[in-house]
Amino acid sequence: MPKKTKTSAKASENGMPKGQTAVQGSLHTSGMIGAIAAVIGAASVAWWMHSRWFIAQGRDQTRAQTSELSTTGAHESDVAVERLLSHLKGRGASLALNPSTFDAGLRGVAADVNMEPGSLLATLPLSEVFYNETLAPEVRAACSSLPCTKGRVLLALGVAYERARGKSSPFVHFMDTLPKEVNNFVAWPWPLLQLMEASMPGTQSFLAMEMRELKGANALLEFPVGESLLFWGLAMVQTRAFGTWNGGEALIPVAGLFNHHWDPGRAVPMPKCDLAARKCHLRTGGRRVAAGEQVFFHYRPWSNLQLLIRYGFAVPGNPWGPDVKFPVLAAALEAVPLPSWVAKLGCQGVTLKLRARTKWAAGSEACDGPLPTKAVSCVRAALGANESSNVGSIEDMLTTGELNGLEHLRAAGDAATARARTALAAIAGACAQAASRWTEGEGLEALTGAVNVGTSLAQAVIEAVKHELV
């Protein structure tokens, strides 16, 4: 169940909420020229550093803090959370966790007692989970009549409707813990939406389609909710919903209180629901959790820019950078049947996501450079297969261990070294191509527009772009 997490915010001039972010740090240059110059300079340095690393086989080229905590902005009212927990216990929930305050005032969830791997952190009755079966019948009827075809619309309308019902809502205790305002991309002003479009092409048009459908279903209700609540409902689903067993989405009380950690080795698994038992469970997974220790989820290995767009917060010390496109590898991983080398090297699911060297939990897939060794090996194999006229040469590379690492490269001479250098140069070129979207064309224009917004949110977004480049 992939997690999409939390948000908070402020209200707006143009009908949409206007966000303020809880990100630490801002752009320390003055005006548009300084900001763009800083980003362009960072991109140039990034291109040089990526190329130097790949040719030097393993030299670290990125800067990162090693903060162990992330932040999700303003947390819910303690009083509202305590009411929710009391309500859930009265409905049969069991909870071995409590809301707590951690370093730097960070609000999150801590374990009540020492817990072994696989222990239950929480068990919730399915009737308290907000999903298609527990939505108001009139909301389901409106979406059925329209019909609603976009996956998040039904849940977004449902949560907006329950908030509008106030104290008469059967989910009032849950609704009271949700933030009243938002600051992810749903709340962004136009210039920042343009920047989002440069990062995630097609997102604006998809959001517009969702909103048209959401407004259409809302109009079929006997008591439609206000447009601002529709935006709010969509933001709650974007930032807090979990994927469900049937391809839908659900809002799960208590689970929404967990913060994100960038290291999956320090996180617990996403909640799972048992339809036969009518319960949802949160477990510690393979980790021991000490009493009083903060319990995290790991939403996905998002960069700070992705986190800001999707959830409205950034993570100090986040080592994750952007994805780098490498079409030859992508084609190999999508081929039917898969090439035999894909399984032999364990390349299934490999992505080229840049990351910085930092302190990882035991068992995490750490790396000393911008890409894990396995990812580099998979690219080298894909290039070798693409350039070979027969499978035998790839089999030879596997047999000789040529693809196992970069330790045996020679300064000059042999064919294996030449192939490796060609592959590493291609990877460096792909990194440069990824950076170029912010230093030319629409990306540079979007950055200029973001600087002109002049808010702390815009500054945080620019910092996140710099984070992708360096």
Side-chain angles (χ1 to χ4, degrees), residues 429-446:
C431 292
Q433 182 63 38
S436 69
R437 68 178 172 179
W438 298 115
T439 59
E440 56 189 51
E442 293 180 1
L444 183 57
E445 184 179 339

Side-chain angles (χ1 to χ4, degrees), residues 327-464:
V328 173
L329 176 60
L333 297 182
E334 292 171 2
V336 179
L338 282 174
S340 60
W341 60 263
V342 171
K344 289 178 180 177
L345 284 175
C347 294
Q348 300 97 320
V350 163
T351 59
L352 301 185
K353 179 175 280 291
L354 299 179
R355 64 178 91 168
R357 184 185 338 193
T358 189
K359 181 182 178 183
W360 298 81
S364 298
E365 188 193 13
C367 62
D368 292 328
L371 289 171
T373 300
K374 180 189 287 187
V376 176
S377 296
C378 293
V379 170
R380 292 171 62 196
L383 285 170
N386 192 54
E387 293 169 3
S388 298
S389 57
N390 57 69
V391 178
S393 48
I394 283 293
E395 293 297 330
D396 290 344
M397 294 167 76
L398 290 168
T399 301
T400 61
E402 178 181 331
L403 299 173
N404 292 344
L406 301 169
E407 297 81 6
H408 306 301
L409 295 188
R410 300 184 176 90
D414 70 347
T417 298
R419 284 193 293 268
R421 289 188 180 279
T422 299
L424 298 177
I427 295 173
C431 292
Q433 182 63 38
S436 69
R437 68 178 172 179
W438 298 115
T439 59
E440 56 189 51
E442 293 180 1
L444 183 57
E445 184 179 339
L447 272 176
T448 305
V451 173
N452 288 332
V453 172
T455 64
S456 60
L457 172 62
Q459 289 176 334
V461 171
I462 293 168
E463 284 293 314

Side-chain angles (χ1 to χ4, degrees), residues 67-424:
S67 168
E68 308 231 340
L69 299 177
S70 60
T71 178
T72 54
H75 223 281
E76 296 78 14
S77 154
D78 287 347
V79 173
V81 171
E82 289 299 334
R83 281 200 301 260
L84 172 64
L85 298 183
S86 177
H87 166 79
L88 292 173
K89 289 174 183 176
R91 294 294 190 275
S94 61
L95 305 170
L97 42 80
N98 267 313
S100 300
T101 301
F102 302 93
D103 293 345
L106 178 69
R107 297 291 294 150
V109 174
D112 266 356
V113 295
N114 293 330
M115 308 194 80
E116 293 298 312
S119 297
L120 274 172
L121 286 161
T123 300
L124 304 171
L126 196 58
S127 59
E128 294 298 317
V129 173
F130 198 74
Y131 71 114
N132 58 339
E133 289 186 21
T134 56
L135 299 182
E138 53 268 41
V139 169
R140 297 203 302 271
C143 250
S144 177
S145 297
L146 188 62
C148 295
T149 60
K150 300 291 178 287
R152 304 187 299 185
V153 169
L154 174 61
L155 194 63
L157 182 59
V159 70
Y161 186 75
E162 294 305 329
R163 182 175 169 190
R165 292 173 75 178
K167 294 190 181 302
S168 66
S169 168
F171 288 93
V172 60
H173 298 297
F174 182 33
M175 294 298 123
D176 284 348
T177 67
L178 298 178
K180 301 300 184 285
E181 300 165 335
V182 298
N183 70 337
N184 71 320
F185 76 89
V186 174
W188 284 12
W190 177 248
L192 295 188
L193 287 176
Q194 289 181 300
L195 187 145
M196 175 194 72
E197 189 67 18
S199 177
M200 300 168 60
T203 306
Q204 281 192 71
S205 59
F206 185 79
L207 177 61
M209 288 189 291
E210 282 187 318
M211 283 307 304
R212 281 195 296 272
E213 196 167 276
L214 194 51
K215 290 177 182 179
N218 183 51
L220 298 178
L221 292 172
E222 183 178 359
F223 301 104
V225 305
E227 185 172 301
S228 63
L229 273 187
L230 296 181
F231 281 108
W232 175 86
L234 191 58
M236 290 301 102
V237 175
Q238 166 64 34
T239 57
R240 290 176 171 260
F242 296 79
T244 63
W245 48 91
N246 61 357
E249 293 188 311
L251 296 170
I252 302 179
V254 177
L257 302 174
F258 286 46
N259 284 319
H260 164 71
H261 200 296
W262 50 259
D263 184 351
R266 293 182 183 157
V268 300
M270 294 297 172
K272 296 189 182 300
C273 295
D274 183 336
L275 294 184
R278 308 294 293 173
K279 292 183 183 296
C280 292
H281 306 284
L282 282 158
R283 293 183 180 274
T284 57
R287 299 189 66 239
R288 285 186 174 85
V289 180
E293 179 184 345
Q294 182 168 189
V295 185
F296 294 99
F297 284 140
H298 172 76
Y299 307 149
R300 285 189 188 179
W302 300 123
S303 69
N304 275 348
L305 183 59
Q306 289 286 320
L307 289 172
L308 277 166
I309 290 171
R310 297 169 186 276
Y311 309 124
F313 68 88
V315 179
N318 180 13
W320 295 104
D323 289 307
V324 176
K325 297 183 189 298
F326 211 90
V328 173
L329 176 60
L333 297 182
E334 292 171 2
V336 179
L338 282 174
S340 60
W341 60 263
V342 171
K344 289 178 180 177
L345 284 175
C347 294
Q348 300 97 320
V350 163
T351 59
L352 301 185
K353 179 175 280 291
L354 299 179
R355 64 178 91 168
R357 184 185 338 193
T358 189
K359 181 182 178 183
W360 298 81
S364 298
E365 188 193 13
C367 62
D368 292 328
L371 289 171
T373 300
K374 180 189 287 187
V376 176
S377 296
C378 293
V379 170
R380 292 171 62 196
L383 285 170
N386 192 54
E387 293 169 3
S388 298
S389 57
N390 57 69
V391 178
S393 48
I394 283 293
E395 293 297 330
D396 290 344
M397 294 167 76
L398 290 168
T399 301
T400 61
E402 178 181 331
L403 299 173
N404 292 344
L406 301 169
E407 297 81 6
H408 306 301
L409 295 188
R410 300 184 176 90
D414 70 347
T417 298
R419 284 193 293 268
R421 289 188 180 279
T422 299
L424 298 177

